[in-house]
Each structure stands twice: as C-alpha cells, then as structure tokens.
Amino acid sequence: NAAEAAEAAAEARGEGRAAGLGAGDGGEGRFLVGEAAEAAARADPSGWALCYPFRRGGLCRRSSPGVLRAAVVTLLESALCGGGGVAGVGLAPSQLHGCCAVLALPDGFARCDGSALLQLLLVEMGMRACLVAEEATLACLALGLSSACVVRLGASRGAVVCVDELIPMPGCSTRLQYGGDDADALLAALLRRHGLHDRLAELAAEAEAEAGGAGG
C-alpha cells in the first residue's frame, strides 16, 4: 500500500491536510499517517512522498485508482488498528472482518465516491455490514432531533443543510467551498495589513491578563 501511494506524490502533494499518507523510500511497508507523515516529509523531502486521498469533502481523483484505493485503505486501517504513527482504537486487523461500520458522508458527497468507499469497507477490508448516512442526518440523531438546520464548518469546506424528518432537503442546502483554513488565512492577511501580525502573541497575552483580572 505504501509503495503504491508513493507513486502519486507529484500529482497529489498539497491536495489536503487532514488525511495525509507519507510513503518512505526505505522499503515495503514504511509509511506514516497524518501529522507524522507531514512532519517526516518536511524533515526529509526527498525520502518521503505525500499522498492526500481526500480533497474538499470528496475523493481526490488526481491520483490513479490503484494509488487512491491503497491510500484510503491504509488510512482507515491505521485509524482503527494503529500504525503509521497513530495509536488506533485498539482493534486487531483480524477483528475487522466481524465489525459493522457507520460511514458518515459529507453533505452533497458524490454518490460514486460513496459507493467506492462502501466497497472498500465491505470488500477490501472485509467488514460485515455498513450503515451509510449523511453528516447532517447523523448530527440530528446524536441530538435526538428529527428536524433541524445543521451548520458544518470544516477546514476546507462548509455547508448549511435543512433536515426534515431525518431527510436532508436537496432544495434547502448551501455548500461553501471554503472553511476554517481560509478564515485563518484571511485573518492573518488582515493582521499583516494593519501591522498587528507581529504583535499577535502580545495582544493575546494582554487579553488573557485582562480576562483574568476581570474574573478575579
């Protein structure tokens, strides 16, 4: 899996942040996941190739199908069973075949991408069953609501979805192709424009001190 993921480095680098996989050139099975992969690539750019299989709430189709499939399976197995610099949740690889999964898809997720992920879980990873639902519906279930206006803001994408009787309403949703990372970049630009960027830590300390004084 790691060797296949390395082939996509040139076209996939920089395509996401949250789900990154780094394949090393030190032999089969040498890989890191997430922040550990990005840190290794920064320290040794020539020794690690980064692959980001997800982009703005969907699968990144710039990688070849084989590389994309291998990267997603490696990320999921690492998150569940550990490996690649992450602890996992304590499952052994042999236990995956008896597990049932809940696949939470972002609102407006492409049906073909959802089908591909479902096939990975049931066929590639051998899980017994999988419940597929959109994030807005699952958010309502978590709060014990049947209808709500759900607002989601991620790192690179946002959405506002109206849910009625646990069904997302197609005509009552707005999807934004920007998120928290873009808001951070805009705030940093505004601070630089007004000459406050270098004083940000100082201003934060002053605000904390004032809040502490008011609380006392």
Side-chain angles (χ1 to χ4, degrees), residues 175-199:
R175 295 172 181 84
L176 308 174
Q177 295 303 317
Y178 56 85
D181 286 350
D182 303 286
D184 289 344
L186 175 61
L187 178 59
L190 290 174
L191 290 172
R192 291 190 184 94
R193 179 182 299 176
H194 293 283
L196 298 175
H197 186 264
D198 295 334
R199 296 189 58 231

Side-chain angles (χ1 to χ4, degrees), residues 113-135:
D113 289 347
S115 176
L117 289 176
L118 186 61
Q119 184 178 20
L120 285 178
L121 290 171
L122 298 179
V123 179
E124 299 279 343
M125 300 177 65
M127 289 191 170
R128 185 174 60 183
C130 182
L131 170 65
V132 182
E134 291 191 17
E135 287 181 335

Side-chain angles (χ1 to χ4, degrees), residues 4 17 21 87 97-98 118 124 168 191 200 205:
E4 285 184 314
R17 291 185 58 190
L21 182 142
H97 294 276
L118 186 61
E124 299 279 343
L191 290 172
L200 185 58

Side-chain angles (χ1 to χ4, degrees), residues 49-61:
L50 290 179
C51 176
Y52 296 91
F54 296 98
R55 169 73 170 174
R56 292 194 177 276
L59 292 174
C60 179
R61 296 291 184 177

Side-chain angles (χ1 to χ4, degrees), residues 82-123:
V86 296
V89 297
L91 286 175
S94 59
Q95 293 178 296
L96 294 179
H97 294 276
C99 290
C100 298
V102 175
L103 180 59
L105 298 178
D107 307 299
F109 199 77
R111 290 181 179 272
C112 60
D113 289 347
S115 176
L117 289 176
L118 186 61
Q119 184 178 20
L120 285 178
L121 290 171
L122 298 179
V123 179

